[in-house]
Amino acid sequence: MILVVDMNFKRDSLGVYEFVAPILAIAEEIENCVVRHYLEVTQEDIRNCNKIILSGTALKDNVTLSQPDKFEWMKDCGKSILGICAGMQTIGVVFGARLEKCWEIGMVQVSTLRANPLFSSSFKAYALHNYSVQLSPQFDALAESATCIQAIKHKRKEIYGVLFHPEVRNKEIIQRFVNAL
Amino acid sequence: MKLGVLFSGGKDSTLALHKAAEKEEVECLITLASENKESFMFHTPNISIATLQAEALGLPIIQKTTAGKPEAELKDLEEAIVQATKAFGIEGVVSGAVESVYQAERIQRICSRLDVWCFNPLWQRNQKALLEEILAQRFKVVISGVFAYPLDKSWLGKELNTELIGKLLKLEKTFGLSPSGEGGEIETTVLDAPLFKKKIEILDSEVDAKGNSGIFKIKQARLVAK
């Protein structure tokens, strides 16, 4: 079971179609999924899933970034997590990283910095963000664009973040996360 | 949240409007009539019908004509969105973008500059599922433009139904055609949909086609009771 966490500003928002449904369409082809809004994630949801994907949000939606207390469960849940865009930014904030301005909209060139199970080499990806995260001591940078860090991984936990949206032109990254880790 | 819908009168923007109206308040339609038939941004064989569609929906419409030159047309779109924020207090924009990063990126950039929300409720939708949802919701949609081999004038003016979707899906397998017209292969015009308070009746039309390119031009139409 994959827990897909809806990171949009409110439950059942218009953003669900754009930022949750495309992830669900990819992950559900491989494994059963359950969707929960971030304010409604329970310990039971976390216990019952194998992996967790945190969705992105609309460009103007930064609500989760001011609510790291709602994601304390990330720190010791023991599950593989993939945070996408706002999901990655939230992972950063929860683990004490600072955000930095990084305005990218459209296809960007992403270069892999460190070998990992999700992607390799250089590739193009769809970006839609105002911020990236500054690297904190607990994280490694996995990839970068010309402007900012594009992917991170916790040094000791299976917690990944990608700033770009793999559900648009890099679906295999979500498939690998669901399949491989 | 008050929203304006970027509206071409075709199936995608009309479905996006319906999804937006389920969740938020749709205050107005925003329509750009492009004089450039080759525009990648605005596809509007029957854009003059948008006024009638707005009336059928009971929504005000902001219409702007653009010469349709790349990038300059984006300035025109930006001005139309600014006009909608001033006239109707919209806080965000909805588009019917499905697959086109070109379109989505440009709309997102404009919204970001204007500091308004941008929603694309059809983004990355499976095209077959999209067409089936349009039928399931009882949209009445006609093919109003064809722009790719092997489509020809025989498709123009035809109503979208299960049989036609089946044909489009076969062409996807054989020729790589995008069944919902994401590559600009087909354009559509919506004559009726659940939020239409009245439906559109075509009184006069003509087909203007050559080879694998042509339009179904609605010359005269009116609203009738549903």
Side-chain angles (χ1 to χ4, degrees):
Chain A
M1 178 76 78
I2 306 291
L3 171 62
V4 178
V5 180
D6 169 8
M7 302 288 276
N8 286 286
F9 67 107
K10 64 178 182 181
R11 187 179 169 278
D12 197 27
S13 73
L14 187 52
V16 169
Y17 295 119
E18 185 173 352
F19 297 102
V20 179
I23 296 169
L24 204 56
I26 299 164
E28 271 187 330
E29 283 192 359
I30 305 167
E31 194 166 333
N32 289 335
C33 297
V34 61
V35 178
R36 289 282 184 272
H37 187 256
Y38 76 92
L39 291 175
E40 295 175 341
V41 171
T42 64
Q43 285 301 322
E44 192 182 356
D45 292 329
I46 295 165
R47 228 181 1 259
N48 290 341
C49 73
N50 302 319
K51 292 166 190 164
I52 300 167
I53 301 176
L54 312 176
S55 80
T57 64
L59 198 59
K60 261 182 78 68
D61 183 355
N62 298 309
V63 172
T64 60
L65 302 183
S66 59
Q67 300 181 338
D69 55 307
K70 307 294 183 197
F71 298 91
E72 280 293 311
W73 51 262
M74 270 187 212
K75 291 181 176 172
D76 53 10
C77 71
K79 303 289 167 83
S80 298
I81 301 175
L82 172 64
I84 294 171
C85 198
M88 165 168 148
Q89 294 162 353
T90 305
I91 288 171
V93 170
V94 168
F95 285 92
R98 294 178 65 170
L99 298 175
E100 63 180 5
K101 195 76 183 164
C102 178
W103 189 78
E104 291 178 313
I105 298 176
M107 300 304 289
V108 296
Q109 194 70 36
V110 177
S111 303
T112 301
L113 299 173
R114 185 179 277 262
N116 69 86
L118 299 182
F119 51 79
S120 59
S121 68
S122 181
F123 55 94
K124 284 191 169 170
Y126 184 69
L128 182 66
H129 50 255
N130 285 317
Y131 303 100
S132 183
V133 296
Q134 290 180 351
L135 211 55
S136 70
Q138 292 161 287
F139 282 81
D140 289 320
L142 297 185
E144 65 179 4
S145 67
T147 319
C148 56
I149 291 174
Q150 291 290 320
I152 55 173
K153 182 192 176 293
H154 194 283
K155 284 181 174 164
R156 288 180 293 103
K157 301 173 191 285
E158 290 299 307
I159 300 180
Y160 295 79
V162 290
L163 195 56
F164 56 88
H165 287 264
E167 72 274 21
V168 178
R169 290 291 183 270
N170 310 91
K171 295 179 170 62
E172 69 285 355
I173 290 176
I174 294 174
Q175 290 164 344
R176 285 176 194 147
F177 175 76
V178 173
N179 270 324
L181 289 172
Chain B
M1 189 186 299
K2 293 181 175 180
L3 299 173
V5 176
L6 303 183
F7 186 73
S8 70
K11 60 180 172 46
D12 294 339
S13 60
T14 308
L15 183 59
L17 158 72
H18 280 67
K19 293 199 175 292
E22 282 174 16
K23 311 279 186 188
E24 304 290 347
E25 303 155 53
V26 174
E27 294 292 319
C28 67
L29 306 178
I30 301 165
T31 297
L32 258 77
S34 180
E35 291 167 345
N36 176 10
K37 289 177 186 172
E38 307 293 318
S39 169
F40 287 113
M41 282 299 292
F42 310 111
H43 311 139
T44 51
N46 279 307
I47 198 66
S48 57
I49 296 297
T51 311
L52 208 55
Q53 291 168 316
E55 195 181 334
L57 285 158
L59 285 169
I61 183 167
I62 287 177
Q63 278 190 296
K64 196 169 173 61
T65 301
T66 175
K69 291 180 180 152
E71 307 314 321
E73 63 185 354
L74 299 175
K75 194 71 194 156
D76 294 325
L77 174 61
E78 188 166 332
E79 285 173 11
I81 295 172
V82 169
Q83 198 181 332
T85 59
K86 287 178 181 165
F88 302 106
I90 64 163
E91 303 156 84
V93 161
V94 178
S95 97
V98 181
E99 267 294 329
S100 170
V101 163
Y102 180 93
Q103 274 186 339
E105 172 185 335
R106 279 154 179 79
I107 295 166
Q108 290 279 7
R109 282 172 183 268
I110 290 170
C111 290
S112 179
R113 271 199 301 275
L114 298 177
D115 195 28
V116 297
W117 290 73
C118 182
F119 292 107
N120 301 283
L122 310 185
W123 190 230
Q124 303 300 301
R125 272 295 296 278
N126 172 282
Q127 294 187 37
K128 178 172 179 277
L130 194 68
L131 291 168
E132 287 169 350
E133 181 175 352
I134 284 163
L135 285 195
Q137 289 214 25
R138 298 182 178 275
F139 279 46
K140 186 175 181 184
V141 178
V142 291
I143 306 288
S144 50
V146 293
F147 306 98
Y149 181 84
L151 302 172
D152 59 22
K153 65 180 181 183
S154 69
W155 289 74
L156 292 167
K158 288 272 169 62
E159 193 176 325
L160 195 68
N161 56 25
T162 308
E163 188 190 345
L164 204 71
I165 290 175
K167 285 182 181 175
L168 287 168
L169 292 171
K170 275 185 187 167
L171 293 179
E172 181 186 23
K173 283 184 183 166
T174 320
F175 297 99
L177 199 90
S178 159
S180 73
E182 269 302 294
E185 296 94 333
I186 58 169
E187 296 298 337
T188 58
T189 299
V190 176
L191 303 179
D192 192 15
L195 290 177
F196 278 39
K197 295 174 178 72
K198 291 181 175 180
K199 61 184 179 183
I200 293 171
E201 181 183 62
I202 299 171
L203 298 172
D204 190 15
S205 63
E206 69 178 16
V207 168
D208 180 6
K210 194 175 178 183
N212 304 112
S213 180
I215 59 167
F216 173 73
K217 182 78 184 162
I218 300 172
K219 294 171 74 177
Q220 197 184 355
R222 66 175 179 180
L223 295 181
V224 295
K226 291 172 76 166

Coordinates of all heavy atoms in Angstrom, one line a residue, chain B residues 42-120:
Chain B
F42 N -3.7 29.6 -28.5 CA -5.2 29.8 -28.5 C -5.8 29.2 -29.8 O -5.5 29.6 -30.9 CB -5.5 31.3 -28.5 CG -4.8 32.0 -27.3 CD1 -3.8 32.9 -27.6 CD2 -5.1 31.7 -26.0 CE1 -3.1 33.5 -26.6 CE2 -4.4 32.3 -25.0 CZ -3.4 33.2 -25.3
H43 N -6.6 28.1 -29.6 CA -7.2 27.4 -30.7 C -8.7 27.7 -30.8 O -9.4 27.2 -29.9 CB -6.9 25.9 -30.5 CG -5.5 25.6 -30.2 ND1 -5.2 24.6 -29.2 CD2 -4.4 26.1 -30.6 CE1 -3.9 24.6 -29.1 NE2 -3.4 25.4 -30.0
T44 N -9.1 28.4 -31.8 CA -10.4 28.9 -31.7 C -11.2 29.1 -33.0 O -11.5 30.2 -33.4 CB -10.4 30.3 -31.0 OG1 -9.4 31.1 -31.7 CG2 -10.0 30.2 -29.6
P45 N -11.5 27.9 -33.7 CA -12.2 28.0 -34.9 C -13.5 28.7 -34.8 O -14.0 29.4 -35.7 CB -12.4 26.6 -35.4 CG -11.3 25.8 -34.6 CD -11.1 26.5 -33.3
N46 N -14.2 28.5 -33.7 CA -15.5 29.2 -33.5 C -15.6 30.1 -32.3 O -16.5 30.1 -31.5 CB -16.6 28.1 -33.4 CG -17.0 27.5 -34.7 OD1 -17.3 28.2 -35.6 ND2 -16.9 26.2 -34.9
I47 N -14.5 30.9 -32.2 CA -14.4 31.7 -31.0 C -15.6 32.7 -30.8 O -15.9 33.1 -29.7 CB -13.0 32.4 -30.9 CG1 -12.7 32.9 -29.5 CG2 -12.9 33.6 -31.9 CD1 -12.5 31.8 -28.5
S48 N -16.2 33.1 -32.0 CA -17.3 34.0 -31.9 C -18.5 33.4 -31.2 O -19.4 34.1 -30.7 CB -17.7 34.4 -33.3 OG -18.1 33.2 -34.1
I49 N -18.5 32.1 -31.0 CA -19.6 31.4 -30.3 C -19.4 31.5 -28.8 O -20.3 31.3 -28.0 CB -19.7 29.9 -30.7 CG1 -20.0 29.8 -32.2 CG2 -20.7 29.1 -29.9 CD1 -21.4 30.3 -32.6
A50 N -18.2 31.9 -28.4 CA -17.9 32.0 -26.9 C -18.9 32.9 -26.2 O -19.3 32.6 -25.1 CB -16.5 32.5 -26.7
T51 N -19.3 34.0 -26.9 CA -20.3 34.9 -26.2 C -21.6 34.2 -26.0 O -22.2 34.4 -24.9 CB -20.5 36.1 -27.2 OG1 -19.3 36.6 -27.6 CG2 -21.3 37.2 -26.5
L52 N -22.0 33.4 -26.9 CA -23.3 32.6 -26.8 C -23.1 31.6 -25.7 O -24.0 31.3 -24.9 CB -23.6 32.0 -28.1 CG -25.1 31.7 -28.5 CD1 -25.9 33.0 -28.4 CD2 -25.2 31.1 -29.8
Q53 N -21.9 30.9 -25.7 CA -21.7 29.9 -24.6 C -21.7 30.6 -23.2 O -22.2 30.0 -22.3 CB -20.3 29.2 -24.9 CG -20.3 28.3 -26.1 CD -18.9 27.9 -26.5 OE1 -18.0 28.7 -26.5 NE2 -18.8 26.7 -26.9
A54 N -21.1 31.8 -23.1 CA -21.1 32.5 -21.8 C -22.5 32.8 -21.4 O -22.9 32.7 -20.2 CB -20.3 33.8 -22.0
E55 N -23.3 33.2 -22.4 CA -24.7 33.5 -22.1 C -25.5 32.2 -21.6 O -26.2 32.3 -20.7 CB -25.4 34.1 -23.3 CG -26.7 34.8 -23.1 CD -27.4 35.3 -24.3 OE1 -26.6 35.6 -25.3 OE2 -28.6 35.4 -24.4
A56 N -25.2 31.1 -22.3 CA -25.8 29.8 -21.9 C -25.4 29.5 -20.5 O -26.1 28.9 -19.7 CB -25.4 28.8 -22.9
L57 N -24.1 29.8 -20.1 CA -23.6 29.5 -18.8 C -24.0 30.5 -17.7 O -23.9 30.2 -16.5 CB -22.1 29.4 -18.8 CG -21.4 28.2 -19.5 CD1 -20.0 28.5 -19.9 CD2 -21.5 27.0 -18.5
G58 N -24.5 31.6 -18.2 CA -24.9 32.7 -17.2 C -23.7 33.3 -16.6 O -23.7 33.8 -15.5
L59 N -22.6 33.4 -17.4 CA -21.3 34.0 -16.8 C -20.9 35.1 -17.7 O -21.0 35.1 -18.9 CB -20.2 32.9 -16.9 CG -20.2 31.8 -15.8 CD1 -19.2 30.7 -16.1 CD2 -20.0 32.4 -14.4
P60 N -20.3 36.2 -17.1 CA -19.7 37.3 -17.9 C -18.5 36.8 -18.6 O -17.8 35.9 -18.1 CB -19.4 38.4 -16.8 CG -19.3 37.7 -15.5 CD -20.2 36.4 -15.6
I61 N -18.2 37.5 -19.7 CA -17.0 37.0 -20.5 C -16.1 38.3 -20.8 O -16.7 39.3 -21.2 CB -17.4 36.3 -21.7 CG1 -16.2 35.8 -22.5 CG2 -18.3 37.1 -22.6 CD1 -16.6 34.7 -23.6
I62 N -14.8 38.1 -20.6 CA -13.9 39.1 -21.1 C -13.2 38.6 -22.3 O -12.6 37.5 -22.3 CB -12.8 39.4 -20.0 CG1 -13.5 40.2 -18.8 CG2 -11.6 40.1 -20.6 CD1 -12.6 40.4 -17.7
Q63 N -13.5 39.3 -23.4 CA -12.9 38.9 -24.7 C -11.9 39.8 -25.2 O -12.1 41.0 -25.1 CB -14.1 38.7 -25.7 CG -14.8 37.4 -25.6 CD -15.8 37.2 -26.8 OE1 -16.7 38.0 -26.9 NE2 -15.6 36.2 -27.6
K64 N -10.8 39.3 -25.8 CA -9.8 40.1 -26.3 C -9.3 39.5 -27.6 O -9.1 38.3 -27.7 CB -8.6 40.2 -25.2 CG -7.7 41.3 -25.5 CD -6.8 41.4 -24.2 CE -5.7 42.4 -24.5 NZ -6.1 43.8 -24.7
T65 N -9.1 40.4 -28.6 CA -8.5 39.9 -29.8 C -7.0 40.0 -29.8 O -6.5 41.0 -29.3 CB -9.1 40.7 -31.0 OG1 -10.5 40.6 -31.0 CG2 -8.6 40.2 -32.3
T66 N -6.3 39.0 -30.3 CA -4.9 39.1 -30.3 C -4.4 38.8 -31.7 O -5.0 37.9 -32.4 CB -4.2 38.1 -29.3 OG1 -2.8 38.1 -29.5 CG2 -4.7 36.7 -29.5
A67 N -3.3 39.4 -32.1 CA -2.8 39.1 -33.5 C -2.2 37.7 -33.5 O -2.0 37.1 -34.5 CB -1.7 40.2 -33.8
G68 N -1.9 37.2 -32.3 CA -1.5 35.8 -32.2 C -0.1 35.6 -32.5 O 0.4 34.5 -32.8
K69 N 0.8 36.6 -32.4 CA 2.2 36.5 -32.6 C 2.8 35.9 -31.3 O 2.5 36.3 -30.2 CB 2.8 37.8 -33.0 CG 2.4 38.2 -34.3 CD 3.0 39.6 -34.7 CE 2.5 39.9 -36.1 NZ 2.5 41.4 -36.3
P70 N 3.7 34.9 -31.5 CA 4.3 34.2 -30.3 C 4.8 35.3 -29.3 O 5.4 36.3 -29.7 CB 5.4 33.4 -30.8 CG 5.0 33.1 -32.2 CD 4.3 34.3 -32.7
E71 N 4.6 35.1 -28.1 CA 5.0 36.0 -27.0 C 4.1 37.2 -26.9 O 3.6 37.6 -25.8 CB 6.5 36.3 -27.0 CG 7.4 35.1 -27.0 CD 7.0 33.9 -26.1 OE1 6.6 34.2 -24.9 OE2 7.1 32.8 -26.5
A72 N 3.8 37.9 -28.0 CA 3.0 39.1 -27.9 C 1.6 38.7 -27.5 O 0.9 39.4 -26.8 CB 2.9 39.8 -29.3
E73 N 1.2 37.5 -27.9 CA -0.2 37.0 -27.6 C -0.2 36.8 -26.0 O -1.3 36.8 -25.4 CB -0.6 35.8 -28.4 CG 0.3 34.6 -28.1 CD -0.1 33.4 -29.0 OE1 -1.1 33.5 -29.8 OE2 0.6 32.4 -29.0
L74 N 0.9 36.5 -25.5 CA 0.9 36.2 -24.0 C 0.7 37.6 -23.3 O 0.1 37.6 -22.2 CB 2.3 35.6 -23.6 CG 2.6 34.3 -24.2 CD1 3.9 33.8 -23.9 CD2 1.5 33.2 -23.8
K75 N 1.2 38.6 -23.8 CA 1.0 40.0 -23.2 C -0.5 40.3 -23.3 O -1.1 40.8 -22.3 CB 1.8 41.0 -24.0 CG 1.9 42.3 -23.4 CD 2.8 42.3 -22.2 CE 2.7 43.5 -21.3 NZ 3.1 43.3 -19.9
D76 N -1.1 39.9 -24.4 CA -2.6 40.1 -24.5 C -3.3 39.3 -23.5 O -4.3 39.8 -22.9 CB -3.1 39.8 -25.9 CG -2.5 40.7 -27.0 OD1 -2.3 41.9 -26.7 OD2 -2.2 40.3 -28.1
L77 N -2.9 38.0 -23.3 CA -3.5 37.2 -22.3 C -3.4 37.8 -20.9 O -4.3 37.8 -20.1 CB -2.9 35.8 -22.3 CG -3.4 34.8 -21.2 CD1 -4.9 34.6 -21.3 CD2 -2.7 33.5 -21.3
E78 N -2.2 38.3 -20.6 CA -1.9 38.9 -19.3 C -2.8 40.1 -19.1 O -3.4 40.2 -18.0 CB -0.4 39.3 -19.3 CG 0.0 39.7 -17.9 CD 1.5 39.8 -17.7 OE1 2.3 39.1 -18.4 OE2 2.0 40.7 -16.9
E79 N -3.0 40.9 -20.1 CA -3.9 42.1 -20.0 C -5.3 41.6 -19.7 O -6.0 42.3 -18.9 CB -3.8 42.9 -21.2 CG -2.5 43.7 -21.3 CD -2.3 44.4 -22.6 OE1 -3.3 44.5 -23.4 OE2 -1.2 44.9 -22.9
A80 N -5.7 40.6 -20.4 CA -7.1 40.1 -20.2 C -7.3 39.6 -18.7 O -8.3 39.8 -18.1 CB -7.4 39.0 -21.2
I81 N -6.3 38.9 -18.2 CA -6.4 38.4 -16.8 C -6.4 39.6 -15.8 O -7.2 39.6 -14.9 CB -5.2 37.4 -16.5 CG1 -5.3 36.2 -17.4 CG2 -5.2 37.0 -15.0 CD1 -4.1 35.2 -17.3
V82 N -5.5 40.6 -16.1 CA -5.5 41.8 -15.2 C -6.9 42.4 -15.3 O -7.5 42.8 -14.2 CB -4.5 42.8 -15.7 CG1 -4.7 44.1 -15.0 CG2 -3.1 42.3 -15.4
Q83 N -7.5 42.5 -16.5 CA -8.9 43.1 -16.6 C -9.9 42.3 -15.8 O -10.7 42.9 -15.1 CB -9.3 43.0 -18.1 CG -10.4 44.0 -18.5 CD -10.7 43.8 -19.9 OE1 -9.9 43.5 -20.8 NE2 -12.0 44.1 -20.3
A84 N -9.7 41.0 -15.8 CA -10.7 40.1 -15.0 C -10.5 40.3 -13.5 O -11.4 40.2 -12.7 CB -10.5 38.6 -15.4
T85 N -9.2 40.5 -13.1 CA -9.0 40.7 -11.6 C -9.6 42.0 -11.2 O -10.2 42.1 -10.1 CB -7.5 40.7 -11.3 OG1 -6.8 41.8 -12.0 CG2 -6.8 39.4 -11.6
K86 N -9.6 43.0 -12.1 CA -10.1 44.3 -11.7 C -11.7 44.3 -11.8 O -12.3 44.8 -10.9 CB -9.6 45.4 -12.6 CG -8.1 45.8 -12.4 CD -7.6 46.8 -13.3 CE -6.2 47.1 -13.0 NZ -5.5 47.9 -14.1
A87 N -12.2 43.7 -12.8 CA -13.6 43.7 -13.0 C -14.4 42.7 -12.1 O -15.5 43.0 -11.7 CB -14.0 43.4 -14.5
F88 N -13.8 41.6 -11.8 CA -14.5 40.5 -11.1 C -13.8 40.0 -9.8 O -14.3 39.1 -9.2 CB -14.8 39.3 -12.0 CG -15.6 39.7 -13.3 CD1 -15.0 39.8 -14.5 CD2 -16.9 40.1 -13.2 CE1 -15.7 40.2 -15.6 CE2 -17.7 40.4 -14.3 CZ -17.0 40.5 -15.5
G89 N -12.7 40.7 -9.5 CA -12.0 40.3 -8.3 C -11.5 38.9 -8.3 O -11.4 38.3 -7.2
I90 N -11.2 38.3 -9.4 CA -10.7 36.9 -9.4 C -9.3 36.9 -8.7 O -8.5 37.8 -8.8 CB -10.7 36.3 -10.8 CG1 -9.6 37.0 -11.7 CG2 -12.0 36.3 -11.5 CD1 -9.3 36.2 -13.0
E91 N -9.1 35.7 -8.1 CA -7.9 35.5 -7.4 C -7.0 34.4 -8.1 O -5.9 34.2 -7.7 CB -8.2 35.0 -5.9 CG -9.0 36.0 -5.1 CD -9.7 35.2 -4.0 OE1 -9.1 35.0 -2.9 OE2 -10.9 34.8 -4.2
G92 N -7.6 33.8 -9.1 CA -6.9 32.8 -9.8 C -7.5 32.5 -11.1 O -8.6 33.0 -11.5
V93 N -6.8 31.7 -11.9 CA -7.1 31.4 -13.3 C -7.2 29.8 -13.4 O -6.4 29.1 -12.8 CB -6.1 32.0 -14.2 CG1 -6.1 31.4 -15.6 CG2 -6.3 33.5 -14.3
V94 N -8.1 29.4 -14.3 CA -8.2 27.9 -14.6 C -8.0 27.7 -16.0 O -8.5 28.5 -16.9 CB -9.6 27.4 -14.2 CG1 -9.8 26.0 -14.5 CG2 -9.9 27.7 -12.7
S95 N -7.2 26.7 -16.4 CA -7.0 26.4 -17.8 C -7.3 25.0 -18.1 O -7.4 24.2 -17.2 CB -5.5 26.7 -18.3 OG -4.8 25.5 -18.2
G96 N -7.5 24.7 -19.3 CA -7.9 23.3 -19.8 C -6.6 22.6 -20.3 O -6.8 21.6 -21.0
A97 N -5.4 23.0 -19.9 CA -4.2 22.4 -20.4 C -4.2 20.9 -19.9 O -4.5 20.6 -18.8 CB -3.0 23.1 -19.8
V98 N -3.8 20.0 -20.8 CA -3.8 18.6 -20.5 C -2.4 18.1 -20.6 O -1.8 17.5 -19.6 CB -4.7 17.7 -21.5 CG1 -4.6 16.3 -21.1 CG2 -6.1 18.3 -21.5
E99 N -1.7 18.2 -21.7 CA -0.4 17.7 -21.9 C 0.7 18.7 -22.2 O 1.8 18.5 -22.1 CB -0.4 16.6 -23.0 CG -0.6 15.2 -22.6 CD 0.5 14.6 -21.7 OE1 1.7 15.0 -21.9 OE2 0.2 13.8 -20.8
S100 N 0.2 19.8 -22.8 CA 1.1 20.8 -23.4 C 1.9 21.6 -22.3 O 1.4 22.5 -21.7 CB 0.3 21.8 -24.3 OG 1.2 22.8 -24.7
V101 N 3.2 21.2 -22.2 CA 4.0 22.0 -21.3 C 4.2 23.4 -21.8 O 4.3 24.4 -21.0 CB 5.4 21.3 -21.1 CG1 6.5 22.2 -20.6 CG2 5.3 20.0 -20.3
Y102 N 4.2 23.5 -23.1 CA 4.3 24.9 -23.7 C 3.2 25.8 -23.2 O 3.5 26.9 -22.8 CB 4.2 24.7 -25.3 CG 4.4 26.0 -26.1 CD1 5.6 26.4 -26.5 CD2 3.2 26.8 -26.3 CE1 5.7 27.6 -27.2 CE2 3.3 28.0 -27.0 CZ 4.6 28.4 -27.5 OH 4.7 29.6 -28.2
Q103 N 2.0 25.3 -23.3 CA 0.9 26.1 -22.8 C 0.9 26.4 -21.3 O 0.8 27.5 -20.8 CB -0.5 25.4 -23.2 CG -1.0 25.7 -24.5 CD -2.4 25.1 -24.7 OE1 -2.8 24.2 -24.0 NE2 -3.1 25.6 -25.7
A104 N 1.1 25.2 -20.6 CA 1.0 25.3 -19.1 C 2.1 26.2 -18.6 O 1.8 27.0 -17.7 CB 1.1 23.9 -18.5
E105 N 3.3 26.1 -19.1 CA 4.4 26.9 -18.6 C 4.1 28.4 -18.8 O 4.3 29.2 -17.9 CB 5.6 26.5 -19.4 CG 6.8 27.3 -19.2 CD 8.0 26.9 -20.1 OE1 8.0 25.8 -20.5 OE2 8.8 27.8 -20.4
R106 N 3.6 28.7 -19.9 CA 3.3 30.2 -20.2 C 2.2 30.7 -19.3 O 2.3 31.9 -18.9 CB 3.1 30.4 -21.7 CG 4.4 30.4 -22.5 CD 4.3 30.0 -23.9 NE 5.6 30.1 -24.6 CZ 6.6 29.2 -24.4 NH1 6.4 28.1 -23.6 NH2 7.7 29.3 -25.0
I107 N 1.2 29.9 -19.1 CA 0.1 30.4 -18.3 C 0.6 30.5 -16.8 O 0.3 31.5 -16.1 CB -1.1 29.5 -18.4 CG1 -1.7 29.5 -19.8 CG2 -2.2 29.8 -17.4 CD1 -2.7 28.4 -20.2
Q108 N 1.3 29.5 -16.4 CA 1.9 29.6 -15.0 C 2.8 30.8 -14.8 O 2.7 31.5 -13.8 CB 2.7 28.3 -14.7 CG 1.9 27.0 -14.6 CD 1.3 26.8 -13.2 OE1 1.3 27.7 -12.4 NE2 0.7 25.7 -13.0
R109 N 3.6 31.1 -15.8 CA 4.5 32.3 -15.7 C 3.7 33.6 -15.5 O 4.0 34.4 -14.7 CB 5.4 32.4 -16.9 CG 6.6 31.4 -16.8 CD 7.4 31.4 -18.1 NE 8.4 30.4 -18.1 CZ 9.6 30.6 -17.7 NH1 10.0 31.8 -17.3 NH2 10.5 29.7 -17.6
I110 N 2.6 33.7 -16.4 CA 1.8 34.9 -16.3 C 1.2 35.0 -14.9 O 1.2 36.1 -14.3 CB 0.7 34.9 -17.4 CG1 1.4 35.1 -18.8 CG2 -0.3 36.0 -17.2 CD1 0.5 34.8 -20.0
C111 N 0.6 33.9 -14.4 CA -0.1 33.9 -13.1 C 0.9 34.3 -12.0 O 0.6 35.0 -11.1 CB -0.7 32.6 -12.9 SG -2.2 32.3 -13.9
S112 N 2.1 33.7 -12.1 CA 3.2 34.0 -11.1 C 3.5 35.5 -11.1 O 3.6 36.1 -10.0 CB 4.4 33.1 -11.4 OG 5.4 33.4 -10.5
R113 N 3.7 36.0 -12.3 CA 4.0 37.5 -12.4 C 2.9 38.3 -11.8 O 3.1 39.3 -11.1 CB 4.2 37.9 -13.8 CG 5.6 37.8 -14.3 CD 5.8 38.6 -15.6 NE 5.0 38.3 -16.7 CZ 5.2 37.3 -17.6 NH1 6.3 36.6 -17.5 NH2 4.4 37.0 -18.5
L114 N 1.6 37.9 -12.0 CA 0.5 38.7 -11.5 C 0.1 38.3 -10.1 O -0.8 38.9 -9.5 CB -0.8 38.4 -12.4 CG -0.6 38.9 -13.9 CD1 -1.9 38.5 -14.7 CD2 -0.3 40.4 -14.0
D115 N 0.8 37.3 -9.5 CA 0.5 36.8 -8.2 C -0.9 36.3 -8.0 O -1.6 36.7 -7.1 CB 0.8 37.9 -7.1 CG 0.9 37.3 -5.7 OD1 1.2 36.2 -5.6 OD2 0.6 38.1 -4.8
V116 N -1.4 35.6 -9.0 CA -2.7 34.9 -8.9 C -2.5 33.4 -9.0 O -1.5 32.9 -9.5 CB -3.7 35.4 -10.0 CG1 -4.0 36.9 -9.9 CG2 -3.2 35.0 -11.4
W117 N -3.5 32.7 -8.4 CA -3.4 31.2 -8.5 C -3.6 30.7 -9.9 O -4.3 31.4 -10.7 CB -4.6 30.6 -7.6 CG -4.4 30.8 -6.1 CD1 -4.5 32.0 -5.4 CD2 -4.0 29.9 -5.1 NE1 -4.2 31.8 -4.1 CE2 -3.9 30.5 -3.9 CE3 -3.7 28.5 -5.2 CZ2 -3.6 29.8 -2.7 CZ3 -3.4 27.8 -4.0 CH2 -3.3 28.5 -2.8
C118 N -3.1 29.6 -10.1 CA -3.2 28.9 -11.5 C -3.6 27.5 -11.2 O -2.9 26.7 -10.6 CB -1.9 29.0 -12.2 SG -2.0 28.3 -13.9
F119 N -4.7 27.0 -11.8 CA -5.2 25.7 -11.7 C -5.4 25.0 -13.0 O -6.0 25.7 -14.0 CB -6.5 25.6 -10.9 CG -6.4 26.0 -9.5 CD1 -6.9 27.2 -9.0 CD2 -5.8 25.1 -8.5 CE1 -6.9 27.5 -7.7 CE2 -5.7 25.5 -7.2 CZ -6.3 26.7 -6.8
N120 N -4.9 23.8 -13.2 CA -5.1 23.1 -14.4 C -5.7 21.7 -14.1 O -5.0 20.7 -14.0 CB -3.7 22.9 -15.1 CG -3.0 24.2 -15.4 OD1 -3.4 24.9 -16.3 ND2 -2.1 24.6 -14.5

